[in-house]
């Protein structure tokens, strides 16, 4: 299905969408897997409504892919933090951070390329799909990481009208 998504991308249905419910829904979806792995998921809200111009289901898929990657990076405990980023210069967004092993600079240069993976059994399609969806929304996705100190994925999107 990942190959199909990359090969035949669906046009996003853009509307003003609050990000908090999408992040909360994704966190609830992975809660059982997180508990089983000894991972605690924290959700930091912006304190104000954070609305993006996006296709809610596609951005939910982005969040879910990033969360699942963070869980897979630390199968024996740790923390994942979801953070909503308030409006800045007409942009809003969110971050997914983990305290796993981190990503080497060499790997960071390739992680959004299709079929690139360092995980045994991985397809290398998840982050490629994340990047494709975010770009289709006039957004950006970036990673910052220091090996041994976890990774943070930041997604920025155009701000939407408050709902």
């Amino acid at each position: 299905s990942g190959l199909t998504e990359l090969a035949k991308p669906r046009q996003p249905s853009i509307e003003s969408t609050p990000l908090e419910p999408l992040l909360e829904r994704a966190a609830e979806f992975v809660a059982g897997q997180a508990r089983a792995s000894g991972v605690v998921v924290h959700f930091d809200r912006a304190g104000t409504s954070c609305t993006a111009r996006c296709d809610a289901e596609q951005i939910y898929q982005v969040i879910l892919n990033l969360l699942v990657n963070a869980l897979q990076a630390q199968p024996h405990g740790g923390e994942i933090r979801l953070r909503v980023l308030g409006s800045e210069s007409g942009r809003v967004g969110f971050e997914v951070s983990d305290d796993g092993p981190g990503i080497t600079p060499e790997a960071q240069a390739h992680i959004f390329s299709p079929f690139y993976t360092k995980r045994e059994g991985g397809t290398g399609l998840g982050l490629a799909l994340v990047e494709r969806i975010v770009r289709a929304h006039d957004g950006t996705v970036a990673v910052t990481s220091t090996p041994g100190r976890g990774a943070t994925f930041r997604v920025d999107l155009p701000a939407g009208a408050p709902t």
Side-chain angles (χ1 to χ4, degrees):
S1 70
L3 264 174
T4 303
E5 280 293 314
L6 279 174
K8 295 166 115 180
R10 182 174 63 81
Q11 255 326 80
S13 177
I14 304 291
E15 55 187 50
S16 289
T17 305
L19 291 176
E20 292 90 346
L22 300 178
L23 289 158
E24 192 166 19
R25 184 173 137 211
E28 288 172 5
F29 186 82
V30 301
Q33 182 182 352
R35 273 192 304 278
S37 298
V39 174
V40 177
V41 179
H42 298 281
F43 181 21
D44 300 332
R45 290 166 170 77
T48 60
S49 180
C50 188
T51 304
R53 289 194 35 74
C54 67
D55 181 309
E57 287 308 307
Q58 287 187 9
I59 295 304
Y60 172 74
Q61 188 64 52
V62 165
I63 298 164
L64 200 54
N65 280 0
L66 294 175
L67 267 174
V68 168
N69 281 357
L71 280 169
Q72 290 171 342
Q74 47 194 24
H76 306 294
E79 293 186 1
I80 296 172
R81 187 165 304 278
L82 297 172
R83 188 165 74 102
V84 176
L85 306 172
S87 182
E88 183 177 308
S89 302
R91 309 290 289 178
V92 296
F94 59 89
E95 291 179 340
V96 177
S97 301
D98 66 63
D99 59 1
I103 304 167
T104 66
E106 297 80 27
Q108 287 180 47
H110 302 286
I111 60 172
F112 296 109
S113 300
F115 307 110
Y116 180 83
T117 185
K118 289 289 195 177
R119 187 173 52 83
E120 186 162 331
T123 62
L125 294 175
L127 290 176
L129 183 59
V130 162
E131 184 182 47
R132 188 201 51 78
I133 291 171
V134 171
R135 281 189 177 186
H137 285 78
D138 290 327
T140 59
V141 59
V143 61
T144 55
S145 180
T146 301
R149 294 184 155 192
T152 298
F153 285 83
R154 178 185 176 125
V155 174
D156 289 303
L157 300 164
T163 56

